[in-house]
Amino acid sequence: MGTGLSAATYAMSLPGRSGGLTHAGFYGPLLPDCAAPAAFGVLGRRSAAPLLNTGLFADKVFSATAASSFLAGAIQFGALVIQALYFQLVRGYDVIDTGLAMVGFAVGAAVLPVSGRLTDRFGGGPVSLAGSLMTTVAFIPAAPLPTDAPLLALEACLLLLGIGNALSVLPSSTAAYVTVDPVTRPEPEAHGRLRLAGLDPRTAPQLDLGLLQHPLDVRKMIEAVALGRRLAATAPMRALGLREIAPGPAAASGTELAAYLRAHVKPYPHLCGTAPMGSADDPTAVVDNLGRVHGVPGLRVVDASILPDAPSVATNLTVMMAAELIADRFGHS
């Protein structure tokens, strides 16, 4: 994929130097541009555990949203690269001035969090449509502008283009994600429960993690075991002399694997989210986005307990990032 994209970038830089699209030298770099992604897709279809599951494109919704995300990315590429080249080659700006001249797009793209909230409220379709219309509105007046057009007019177009891009990318990605088979998503479906065991604060609370209490979670684990077995059966793994210890060949059917998993799966000791962050009007929130405990002035909490949801990775890096951010803003709040 990297080879193909590099070749595509190089090919797109040739027409202006080699005499246009009719020059033979333009099409040479396009061969690896087309061949490399095609080979990547073919190998992905043949692999038992592909890095990129190209079979997802059989879903029409996934294909449409993926295409929409690709086009939004292409628009962003055009805005950031071609517009930057315009400022440098046509207007004679240096690198720093070019970066400053692109600030309109950056300001517009900063509405990405708003795009997420709008997607949650209205759905991806209307928000993505609004982004497409905004992009169109940005391009129509920008196309006929002369090369010596006022910078303010260009910044206005870049601002609209940035907003349109932000409104297009996130809804498209969200729409594609929800079409993916839930079994491939890492987040568990079941929810645990934490209760007080009594009035004595020294008594440990009652914690039920709800492990494998949802049938989809059981299905995910069964498929994980099946994947592990397929990998262990490959020639490189067999050459190491590996053998399955648990659950063993006796557990072959889905029912047998489910029974084994329910009896033996243990929790990964990275508890988090017991004092989640959120707004002051959220009854489940304990701290705000800077770790300040609601209703307790001067007290902050910065550890895994403030994560509003369990990350699908080990929590150490997530906590370090949160601590770095909150510590950086400590003197400004």
Side-chain angles (χ1 to χ4, degrees):
M1 290 292 287
T3 303
L5 293 176
S6 299
T9 303
Y10 176 70
M12 286 187 292
S13 70
L14 292 178
R17 296 182 297 165
S18 59
L21 299 178
T22 58
H23 193 278
F26 169 68
Y27 295 97
L30 286 181
L31 294 178
D33 171 33
C34 299
F40 186 88
V42 170
L43 292 176
R45 293 288 292 175
R46 295 179 177 178
S47 174
L51 179 64
L52 175 64
N53 185 6
T54 54
L56 294 173
F57 289 95
D59 186 290
K60 294 181 179 179
V61 176
F62 183 89
S63 297
T65 53
S68 178
S69 296
F70 173 80
L71 293 175
I75 292 171
Q76 184 176 13
F77 177 84
L80 294 180
V81 177
I82 299 177
Q83 191 68 33
L85 291 174
Y86 161 78
F87 283 125
Q88 290 182 331
L89 300 179
V90 177
R91 295 212 167 199
Y93 289 3
D94 59 22
V95 175
I96 295 178
D97 289 339
T98 298
L100 293 174
M102 297 294 294
V103 71
F105 185 91
V107 172
V111 304
L112 194 62
V114 178
S115 174
R117 291 182 178 272
L118 292 174
T119 301
D120 291 338
R121 183 169 182 178
F122 301 107
V127 179
S128 184
L129 177 60
S132 300
L133 293 175
M134 186 74 71
T135 302
T136 304
V137 169
F139 270 121
I140 290 177
L145 285 177
T147 56
D148 59 348
L151 182 60
L152 186 60
L154 293 174
E155 291 300 327
C157 293
L158 284 173
L159 176 66
L160 292 176
L161 186 62
I163 296 174
N165 187 260
L167 293 177
S168 301
V169 172
L170 190 61
S172 299
S173 302
T174 302
Y177 181 79
V178 299
T179 66
V180 177
D181 186 351
V183 77
T184 63
R185 303 176 194 167
E187 296 84 4
E189 302 296 326
H191 296 279
R193 180 173 298 177
L194 178 65
R195 290 180 173 179
L196 295 177
L199 298 179
D200 188 347
R202 295 168 295 183
T203 303
Q206 297 175 348
L207 177 60
D208 178 14
L209 297 178
L211 292 178
L212 301 182
Q213 292 183 6
H214 193 285
L216 186 55
D217 293 338
V218 179
R219 180 185 164 195
K220 292 179 183 181
M221 291 298 295
I222 291 175
E223 295 204 6
V225 172
L227 175 59
R229 286 174 168 174
R230 290 198 300 271
L231 293 175
T234 59
M237 298 296 284
R238 290 200 309 269
L240 298 176
L242 301 179
R243 63 183 181 86
E244 181 178 338
I245 298 176
S253 68
T255 301
E256 292 168 337
L257 285 173
Y260 177 88
L261 291 169
R262 286 193 173 97
H264 294 87
V265 166
K266 304 299 180 184
Y268 200 55
H270 282 175
L271 302 181
C272 63
T274 54
M277 65 172 62
S279 59
D281 57 356
D282 183 352
T284 66
V286 178
V287 302
D288 65 6
N289 63 329
L290 293 180
R292 295 173 294 202
V293 178
H294 295 306
V296 185
L299 178 61
R300 294 178 186 248
V301 177
V302 188
D303 57 23
S305 68
I306 69 172
L307 301 181
D309 199 359
S312 299
V313 295
T315 56
N316 56 331
L317 291 179
T318 308
V319 173
M320 290 170 62
M321 291 173 62
E324 288 280 358
L325 177 64
I326 292 177
D328 181 65
R329 297 185 179 179
F330 181 80
H332 307 286
S333 59

